[in-house]
C-alpha cells in the first residue's frame, strides 16, 4: 500500500501533472442487494480511491476496511440523535463498540470522522433535530476524547448547503440561515476549537432540477455564461461560489479557520431530463480536474477534501426528492461503471475499474406474457410492481423512457421480480407474467439481473425508513 502510494506520487510528479489528493467517495447501501463490502474494498483500491464515507456504523461492513489503509468516515443516522444527545452512556458504548474496537482488529480500521446525523437542518425536517444534533456532536467528541482518540478522530455534522445563503448579492453576503443561525454559530465555533472540519454537501444538479432558469454552465466547470461578479472576484461555477459563501458565513460566525470538507457532491444519471451519463461525465471531469489542480476557490485556495456522491446506485432509496435519487451511482447497482471517469483528474477518457467477481442470480427475466393483449387491464399490476420495485428508469428523460407499452409493463414486472431475489411468486401478476431466458434489455435500457448479496437484506429495510439524505427542495439557494 505505502509503496503503491509512493509510486502514484512519483508518477504524478514525473509527468509534471497533478493528481487528486486523497479522493473520497460515499457508499450508501439502501439497495435490494447491496454490494458485498469485500468487493467494494477492492473497487476502491483498483480506482485509487483513498477514503470512504458510510451512512451508519454497521460492524460487519466497517470490519472489511480493517488493514486496508482506506480512511473511513462513520455515520450516525438522524434517528439516533435524540438518544445520543440525552444519554451519554449510549455514546460511550458506541465509541467503544463501533469505533475503538475496530482500531484493533486485523490491523485496524483507519477511522477519521464520525458524521453525527445527516443534513439535520433540512427545512423538510421542520426543526425535528434542531435541539439534539449539537448536544449529540459534543457528546460524541467528548467520548472520543475520553477514549484517547480525539486527536485522530473528529466528530462533525454533514450539512446541506441550505444552512447558509447569500441572496442575490454573491458570496460575500453569505451568512447562516436566520432560523438556525444561533446554533450554527455554536456548532462552527465548537468545530473550530476541536480542529474538526465543517462538512457540507453541494449539489449543482439540484439547482438545475429546482429551477429551469438556472444557468446550466454555472453548474459545470468550463466557464462561459454570465457567472457572478462579487467585488473583484468573478465566479464562473457554483462550486466556488457556494464554498465561498460558506467561508463568509463561517467568518461572520467567528470561525474563519475551520477547515471545509465537501461531504457529498455528484451528478445522477437517470430520473430527470438533466440526469444522464453525458452530463455526469462532464461534471465529474470538470470537478476532478479542478481538484487535481489544487487551486481551490478564490477564498479557499489549495487542496479541498471531497467525498463524491456516490459509489453505486441505491434502488430502495426514498424518491420523495425525485426519481433521480436512486441513480447517483458512478457505478451501477452491480458495481459496473456507467461512463468514463478519470479519478486521477487528468481528464483522460477512461472507464473506472468495475467490481470484480460479483455473482449474479440466474440469467433470467420476468416479463409480460405474449398472449396478454389488453394492456390497459395491466395497470393495477404495473402500479403494484412499481410501488414495491423500482420504475424510476421509465420516467421522462431516463434510459427506459422510450420503451413500448408492452415493454414498460415487462420492465416493471422484472424489477419487482429481481428485487425479490427472483422468487417464483414474484413473477405471477395474476397469471400475466412469465420467466424467460431472453434478455429484454433494449439499447440503453438495461433489464437488470439481481446480484447475490453478502450484505444482510434487513440493512436496506432499516435504512429506507430514514428520510433520504438530500431533499431537493432546499438547495437552490445560495445565489438565485
Ligand atoms: C453499532 O454497531 C452495531 C452492531 O453492528 C449496530 O447494530 C449499531 O446500529 C451501531 N450503532 C450505530 C449508531 O450505528
Ligand atoms: C411507460 O411508462 C412511463 C412511466 O410510467 C410513461 O412515462 C411512458 O409514457 C410509458 N410508455 C408507454 C409507451 O406507455
Ligand atoms: C443483457 O443485455 C444488455 C444489453 O445488451 C447487456 O448489457 C447485459 O449484460 C445483458 N445481461 C445479461 C445477464 O446477459
Amino acid at each position: 500500500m505505502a509503496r503503491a502510494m509512493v509510486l502514484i506520487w512519483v508518477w504524478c510528479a514525473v509527468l509534471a501533472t497533478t493528481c487528486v489528493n486523497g479522493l473520497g467517495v460515499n457508499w450508501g447501501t439502501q439497495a435490494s442487494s447491496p454490494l458485498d463490502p469485500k468487493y467494494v474494498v477492492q473497487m476502491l483500491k483498483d480506482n485509487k480511491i483513498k477514503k470512504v464515507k458510510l451512512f451508519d456504523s454497521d460492524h460487519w461492513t466497517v470490519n472489511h476496511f480493517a488493514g486496508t489503509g482506506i480512511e473511513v468516515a462513520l455515520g450516525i443516522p438522524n434517528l439516533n440523535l435524540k438518544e445520543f444527545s440525552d444519554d451519554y452512556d449510549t455514546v460511550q458504548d458506541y465509541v467503544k463498540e463501533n469505533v475503538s474496537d475496530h482500531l484493533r482488529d486485523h490491523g485496524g480500521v483507519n477511522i477519521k470522522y464520525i458524521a453525527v446525523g445527516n443534513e439535520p437542518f433540512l427545512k423538510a425536517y421542520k426543526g425535528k433535530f434542531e435541539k439534539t444534533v449539537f448536544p449529540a456532536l459534543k457528546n460524541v467528541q467528548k467520548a472520543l476524547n475520553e477514549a484517547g482518540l480525539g486527536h485522530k478522530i473528529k466528530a462533525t455534522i454533514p450539512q446541506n448547503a441550505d444552512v447558509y445563503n447569500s441572496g442575490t448579492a454573491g458570496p460575500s453576503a453569505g451568512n447562516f440561515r436566520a432560523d438556525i443561525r444561533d446554533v450554527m454559530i455554536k456548532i462552527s465555533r465548537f468545530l473550530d476549537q476541536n480542529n474538526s472540519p465543517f462538512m457540507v454537501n453541494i449539489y449543482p444538479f439540484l439547482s438545475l432540477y429546482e429551477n429551469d432558469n438556472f444557468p446550466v454552465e454555472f453548474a459545470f466547470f468550463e466557464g462561459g455564461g454570465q457567472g457572478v461578479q462579487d467585488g473583484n472576484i468573478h465566479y464562473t461555477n457554483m462550486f466556488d461560489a457556494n464554498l465561498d459563501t460558506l467561508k463568509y458565513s463561517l467568518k461572520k460566525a467567528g470561525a474563519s479557520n475551520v477547515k471545509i470538507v465537501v461531504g457529498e457532491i455528484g451528478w445522477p444519471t437517470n430520473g430527470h431530463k438533466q440526469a444522464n451519463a453525458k452530463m455526469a461525465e462532464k461534471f465529474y471531469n470538470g470537478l476532478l480536474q479542478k481538484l487535481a489542480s489544487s487551486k481551490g476557490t478564490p477564498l479557499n485556495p489549495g487542496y479541498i477534501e471531497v467525498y463524491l456522491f456516490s459509489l453505486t446506485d441505491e434502488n430502495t432509496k426514498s424518491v420523495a426528492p425525485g426519481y433521480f435519487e436512486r441513480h447517483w451511482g458512478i457505478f451501477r447497482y452491480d458495481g459496473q461503471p456507467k461512463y468514463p471517469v478519470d479519478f486521477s483528474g487528468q481528464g483522460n477518457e477512461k472507464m473506472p475499474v468495475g467490481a470484480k467477481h460479483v455473482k449474479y442470480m440466474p440469467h433470467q427475466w420476468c416479463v409480460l406474457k405474449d398472449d396478454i393483449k389488453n394492456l390497459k387491464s395491466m395497470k393495477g399490476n404495473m402500479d403494484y410492481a412499481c410501488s414495491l420495485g423500482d420504475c424510476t428508469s421509465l420516467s421522462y428523460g431516463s434510459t427506459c423512457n422510450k420503451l413500448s407499452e408492452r415493454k414498460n409493463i415487462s420492465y416493471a414486472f422484472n424489477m419487482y421480480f429481481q428485487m425479490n431475489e427472483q422468487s417464483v411468486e414474484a413473477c405471477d401478476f395474476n397469471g400475466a407474467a412469465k420467466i424467460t431466458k431472453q434478455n429484454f434489455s433494449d439499447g440503453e435500457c438495461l433489464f437488470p439481473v439481481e446480484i447475490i448479496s453478502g450484505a444482510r437484506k434487513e440493512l436496506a429495510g432499516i435504512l429506507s425508513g430514514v428520510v433520504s439524505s438530500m431533499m431537493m427542495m432546499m438547495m437552490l439557494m445560495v445565489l438565485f
Side-chain angles (χ1 to χ4, degrees):
M1 189 67 198
R3 204 175 70 183
M5 275 159 66
V6 169
L7 282 176
I8 294 158
W9 184 83
V10 169
W11 181 77
C12 292
V14 166
L15 292 177
T17 57
T18 42
C19 278
V20 181
N21 223 328
L23 185 63
V25 69
N26 286 272
W27 179 38
T29 53
Q30 295 183 57
S32 50
S33 291
L35 272 182
D36 196 305
K38 69 174 185 260
Y39 301 142
V40 169
V41 167
Q42 191 58 45
M43 263 171 102
L44 297 180
K45 286 183 178 170
D46 288 344
N47 289 290
K48 304 189 172 66
I49 293 173
K50 304 284 183 355
K51 307 177 184 189
V52 68
K53 180 165 158 281
L54 307 173
F55 289 90
D56 58 13
S57 309
D58 175 68
H59 228 271
W60 179 75
T61 304
V62 176
N63 240 326
H64 281 81
F65 293 95
T68 61
I70 294 170
E71 246 177 53
V72 180
L74 302 179
I76 296 171
N78 287 338
L79 291 176
N80 294 124
L81 290 177
K82 184 156 179 13
E83 205 186 356
F84 275 59
S85 142
D86 296 351
D87 183 6
Y88 188 61
D89 284 349
T90 299
V91 181
Q92 283 181 306
D93 289 348
Y94 169 82
V95 167
K96 186 184 174 309
E97 287 161 24
N98 301 52
V99 184
S100 302
D101 285 358
H102 287 299
L103 305 179
R104 288 190 292 272
D105 307 343
H106 320 294
V109 182
N110 186 7
I111 298 172
K112 171 97 174 281
Y113 299 130
I114 312 290
V116 181
N118 192 34
E119 304 189 340
F121 297 116
L122 274 186
K123 285 183 192 145
Y125 294 142
K126 301 198 169 74
K128 191 170 169 200
F129 305 113
E130 232 167 272
K131 296 249 160 10
T132 50
V133 66
F134 184 39
L137 174 74
K138 287 192 284 190
N139 280 342
V140 172
Q141 191 64 56
K142 180 174 166 207
L144 288 168
N145 293 348
E146 285 176 4
L149 302 171
H151 60 289
K152 183 179 172 283
I153 305 179
K154 302 294 184 183
T156 185
I157 305 171
Q159 303 282 5
N160 189 288
D162 82 331
V163 298
Y164 51 88
N165 52 49
S166 68
T168 51
S172 59
N175 206 341
F176 288 117
R177 220 166 76 200
D179 62 311
I180 50 166
R181 191 169 296 154
D182 287 347
V183 66
M184 286 308 302
I185 290 173
K186 287 183 189 145
I187 289 171
S188 304
R189 292 183 182 168
F190 178 82
L191 295 172
D192 192 15
Q193 283 153 16
N194 283 282
N195 250 327
S196 305
F198 189 105
M199 195 176 263
V200 64
N201 302 339
I202 294 182
Y203 282 104
F205 165 77
L206 294 179
S207 300
L208 290 186
Y209 179 80
E210 277 287 286
N211 179 357
D212 271 337
N213 297 321
F214 189 90
V216 178
E217 61 291 330
F218 201 61
F220 295 90
F221 297 89
E222 290 160 14
Q226 225 184 331
V228 170
Q229 190 69 32
D230 188 5
N232 298 330
I233 303 175
H234 185 66
Y235 288 95
T236 58
N237 65 75
M238 182 184 149
F239 180 84
D240 284 358
N242 194 310
L243 284 182
D244 283 3
T245 305
L246 172 57
K247 191 81 180 169
Y248 274 108
S249 309
L250 287 167
K251 200 168 162 189
K252 286 170 195 161
S256 16
N257 294 324
V258 182
K259 175 174 125 177
I260 297 172
V261 168
V262 178
E264 296 182 10
I265 186 165
W267 203 278
T269 57
N270 245 346
H272 183 253
K273 63 181 182 210
Q274 311 271 26
N276 55 60
K278 270 267 154 297
M279 288 177 97
E281 181 183 345
K282 178 170 151 175
F283 181 77
Y284 279 115
N285 196 28
L287 174 68
L288 291 161
Q289 287 190 62
K290 180 180 176 65
L291 296 176
S293 78
S294 276
K295 270 208 201 83
T297 73
L299 295 182
N300 292 275
Y303 168 65
I304 301 174
E305 187 173 350
V306 167
Y307 292 83
L308 307 180
F309 192 90
S310 184
L311 190 68
T312 57
D313 286 343
E314 295 174 81
N315 63 7
T316 58
K317 268 189 111 169
S318 162
V319 292
Y323 291 144
F324 58 83
E325 197 56 12
R326 294 179 176 169
H327 302 277
W328 287 103
I330 295 169
F331 297 85
R332 293 185 329 210
Y333 72 105
D334 57 354
Q336 298 313 306
K338 298 178 185 172
Y339 48 84
V341 182
D342 181 354
F343 290 117
S344 75
Q346 309 301 298
N348 295 317
E349 190 173 336
K350 61 179 190 189
M351 282 308 229
V353 183
K356 291 177 187 143
H357 313 300
V358 173
K359 293 193 183 60
Y360 291 81
M361 300 204 73
H363 290 185
Q364 57 184 9
W365 293 262
C366 177
V367 298
L368 181 67
K369 279 183 182 160
D370 296 332
D371 56 5
I372 304 286
K373 301 294 181 217
N374 181 358
L375 301 185
K376 296 280 163 281
S377 71
M378 289 295 111
K379 185 170 183 317
N381 282 335
M382 179 139 174
D383 288 349
Y384 178 79
C386 289
S387 65
L388 297 169
D390 174 26
C391 295
T392 52
S393 296
L394 294 178
S395 64
Y396 175 67
S398 299
T399 44
C400 301
N401 186 244
K402 298 271 153 60
L403 297 179
S404 66
E405 204 179 343
R406 289 200 83 81
K407 271 212 149 174
N408 253 6
I409 298 165
S410 290
Y411 183 90
F413 285 4
N414 183 58
M415 285 307 286
Y416 180 77
F417 172 66
Q418 301 294 343
M419 289 171 73
N420 283 287
E421 295 180 306
Q422 299 192 355
S423 121
V424 175
E425 298 83 63
C427 188
D428 179 40
F429 295 102
N430 308 313
K434 63 168 186 189
I435 293 173
T436 177
K437 300 275 179 205
Q438 186 193 336
N439 187 344
F440 263 54
S441 300
D442 190 338
E444 267 194 307
C445 175
L446 179 74
F447 278 57
V449 169
E450 193 74 328
I451 57 173
I452 297 171
S453 178
R456 289 159 301 157
K457 275 213 114 169
E458 60 269 22
L459 201 65
I462 293 162
L463 291 173
S464 57
V466 180
V467 183
S468 137
S469 69
M470 300 145 293
M471 293 266 169
M472 77 273 191
M473 26 224 108
M474 12 269 28
M475 255 336 274
L476 219 230
M477 54 116 329
V478 199
L479 297 164
F480 291 84

